Amino acid sequence: MSRYRPLAALCLVLSLLVSACSGSPSAPGPAPTDTSPPPATEPAESGAGSRPPATVSVWSWRVQDEELWQKVQERLNANGENITIEFRGIKSTEYDAVLRTAMSGGDGPDIFTSRGGAGTRSYAEAGLIEPLDAIDLSGFDEGILQQVSYEGQVYAVPFAVQTLTFFYNKTIFEENGLSEPKTWDELMQIMETLKSRGITPIAIGGKDGYAVCLMVDVIGATWLGDQWAQDVIAGRTDFTDPKFVDVLAKVDSLKQYAQDGFLGTAQRDARTLFATGQTAMIIDGIWAVNTYYLQTDPDLQLGSFLAPPAREGDPVRIYPYVDGGYAVNSRSAVKEAALRVAAYTATAEFAQMYADLFAEIPGNKNVTFPADQPMLAKAVQQMNEVGLKTLFRIRSPFDSGTPDISTSLGANIQGMFAGQLTPQQAAENVQADLASWYPAFQK
């Protein structure tokens, strides 16, 4: 994988991970070189009991994962391992700062959940986490592994993947004789039909920059695709490309179908509008299905579709990104045991355990979902069949500098929604922001 910035910039990158923290401790230094032979990292077999006992500490911002790690310990012990796992959940808004300080001082955990993209690359660049070359990662899509890689090596086991899509209320569609659109023009006609009948077509959380960025991801996945993403990363094109401007124009065209006052609506409130049947559609992530929509109304009849293309039959794509991965501390005193734990988290058995416990999409694609989780099953199928392999926004190289693409894009879309910017101007502003630090745009 290409190096996006010199090692001296590590402190800046890591500081981006802790925007909620007022302090700015120095970035961690490189770990000592380990010249010992690589440890075995295969899942434990019957002879594993002969190994000495080990306690492996695990830190995460997912405080809800304590039960998961208890199950992991039970499973490893059943396989003959003599491993005790000490789990520590840390409040998500404090996690990055706590972890960074501990890793800087050499007091970090044996395993920690790392953010995807820059959150993993930063620690890998500093030599603070182990490459996972010996772990079987065949159950993971290459595009997913790229988001936890650095210079061609994988440094974390992806534990969860998020996908983004249009969600719609099946009841509203059926009552109005509507079906999933196969082209963009059909989607626009659906919007017009609903609006003409006094139904708000789509909820938009215009107050939240991250929410409006999701709209670009969903539409851009289909309309830009992998080749464009590869070209923009390499600097062969940029964000003023007419293809990207067209994506912004499509995003802008949806505002006329949104609820009144959508610019002042937070995404959580937009979700409530959709979940309570006050709008017919919303653009959101798969995590919202169980966390928001079905909690609000367990009987909500949910459907989903990907951004439709120009012509029926043209490819559609979905934007998948890694929420985070399990990284092994290169300074761990029980590194071999930690690597065996990490190897277990790469198995299909662990992925199924994760999916069953949280109703989320694990990184390993070899899972099944029960009939009462149709949205998750559909998202996994789409991720495997039409998932982008190269990402252009979140978890891309453009989230590694200041200002990162999400900050710039969110602000410029909001300006576009407010009528202060055209799609072309918004694209030019994003390009200027990224060109201030992204090497391929400075040639």
Side-chain angles (χ1 to χ4, degrees):
M1 180 174 290
S2 299
R3 186 184 295 263
Y4 301 125
R5 58 207 178 281
L7 181 58
L10 175 61
C11 181
L12 174 62
V13 174
L14 289 178
S15 67
L16 293 174
L17 301 175
V18 289
S19 58
C21 180
S22 59
S24 300
S26 300
T33 302
D34 185 354
T35 59
S36 61
T41 57
E42 293 298 321
E45 298 179 359
S46 57
S50 61
R51 298 189 182 107
T55 297
V56 175
S57 58
V58 178
W59 289 9
S60 179
W61 70 81
R62 291 174 53 92
V63 295
Q64 69 270 32
D65 282 3
E66 184 171 4
E67 181 181 356
L68 172 71
W69 287 102
Q70 288 175 350
K71 290 179 179 292
V72 169
Q73 177 181 310
E74 291 169 3
R75 194 63 211 162
L76 289 172
N77 293 164
N79 287 346
E81 287 281 9
N82 193 356
I83 289 177
T84 299
I85 293 178
E86 289 186 349
F87 175 76
R88 179 185 177 189
I90 301 171
K91 188 177 180 181
S92 61
T93 54
E94 301 171 359
Y95 175 78
D96 296 308
V98 172
L99 176 65
R100 184 181 64 175
T101 300
M103 294 294 286
S104 297
D107 297 321
D110 303 306
I111 294 175
F112 63 88
T113 54
S114 64
R115 311 285 185 181
T120 298
R121 292 194 299 267
S122 302
Y123 285 103
E125 187 178 29
L128 293 176
I129 53 179
E130 285 290 299
L132 305 181
D133 304 322
I135 290 180
D136 180 4
L137 298 170
S138 59
F140 299 81
D141 182 84
E142 181 61 30
I144 298 302
L145 292 177
Q146 286 178 4
Q147 298 174 55
V148 287
S149 296
Y150 173 69
E151 293 190 336
Q153 290 184 296
V154 178
Y155 281 85
V157 179
F159 63 81
V161 177
Q162 308 299 349
T163 62
L164 310 169
T165 192
F166 280 88
F167 291 106
Y168 71 96
N169 186 313
K170 284 186 175 182
T171 302
I172 293 177
F173 267 50
E174 289 171 2
E175 289 175 350
N176 288 274
L178 303 173
S179 57
E180 295 180 10
K182 297 181 175 61
T183 68
W184 186 263
D185 287 345
E186 286 184 15
L187 175 60
M188 292 297 98
Q189 185 56 55
I190 289 171
M191 298 278 185
E192 286 290 340
T193 298
L194 291 168
K195 187 174 181 179
S196 69
R197 296 176 182 177
I199 301 169
T200 302
I202 189 168
I204 296 178
K207 184 178 179 180
D208 293 331
Y210 85 89
V212 298
C213 283
L214 300 182
M215 302 172 73
V216 174
D217 299 337
V218 170
I219 297 171
T222 289
W223 284 79
L224 297 174
D226 284 301
Q227 186 59 58
W228 187 89
Q230 293 165 14
D231 288 344
V232 76
I233 289 170
R236 292 187 292 268
T237 189
D238 61 33
F239 287 92
T240 64
D241 187 310
K243 289 183 178 180
F244 187 75
V245 175
D246 179 60
V247 168
L248 293 185
K250 285 179 166 57
V251 170
D252 196 42
S253 71
L254 297 180
K255 68 184 181 185
Q256 62 187 308
Y257 303 110
Q259 76 278 9
D260 291 340
F262 76 94
L263 265 176
T265 303
Q267 182 72 349
R268 66 178 181 274
D269 297 321
R271 287 172 175 147
T272 299
L273 292 174
F274 174 70
T276 55
Q278 297 178 67
T279 70
M281 287 173 277
I282 193 171
I283 290 176
D284 210 343
I286 189 64
W287 67 84
V289 170
N290 289 285
T291 305
Y292 295 96
Y293 302 131
L294 296 182
Q295 275 197 1
T296 302
D297 181 3
D299 298 322
L300 180 64
Q301 297 301 301
L302 274 176
S304 70
F305 60 86
L306 302 181
R311 295 177 298 274
E312 184 175 347
D314 282 355
V316 294
R317 298 177 180 85
I318 195 168
Y319 197 110
Y321 68 91
V322 172
D323 202 1
Y326 300 127
V328 175
N329 187 342
S330 61
R331 294 171 171 171
S332 169
V334 291
K335 186 162 53 178
E336 289 190 16
L339 283 164
R340 294 199 300 275
V341 174
Y344 178 73
T345 69
T347 65
E349 181 178 81
F350 174 84
Q352 192 64 58
M353 181 192 304
Y354 185 95
D356 293 343
L357 191 59
F358 298 119
E360 297 179 17
I361 303 175
N364 191 311
K365 61 188 176 183
N366 297 315
V367 295
T368 58
F369 290 96
D372 63 350
Q373 298 288 348
M375 289 291 96
L376 285 171
K378 184 176 182 179
V380 170
Q381 181 181 2
Q382 291 172 330
M383 178 182 70
N384 293 339
E385 295 178 357
V386 295
L388 282 184
K389 308 301 183 186
T390 307
L391 305 184
F392 56 83
R393 207 269 299 179
I394 188 172
R395 303 303 188 246
S396 78
F398 303 112
D399 69 3
S400 300
T402 304
D404 64 274
I405 186 171
S406 300
T407 300
S408 177
L409 185 60
N412 280 284
I413 292 173
Q414 289 169 329
M416 188 175 67
F417 280 165
Q420 299 168 350
L421 298 170
T422 65
Q424 179 69 45
Q425 290 170 329
E428 291 172 354
N429 290 345
V430 171
Q431 176 60 28
D433 283 342
L434 298 177
S436 69
W437 62 267
Y438 187 66
F441 291 158
Q442 296 179 332
K443 296 177 181 177

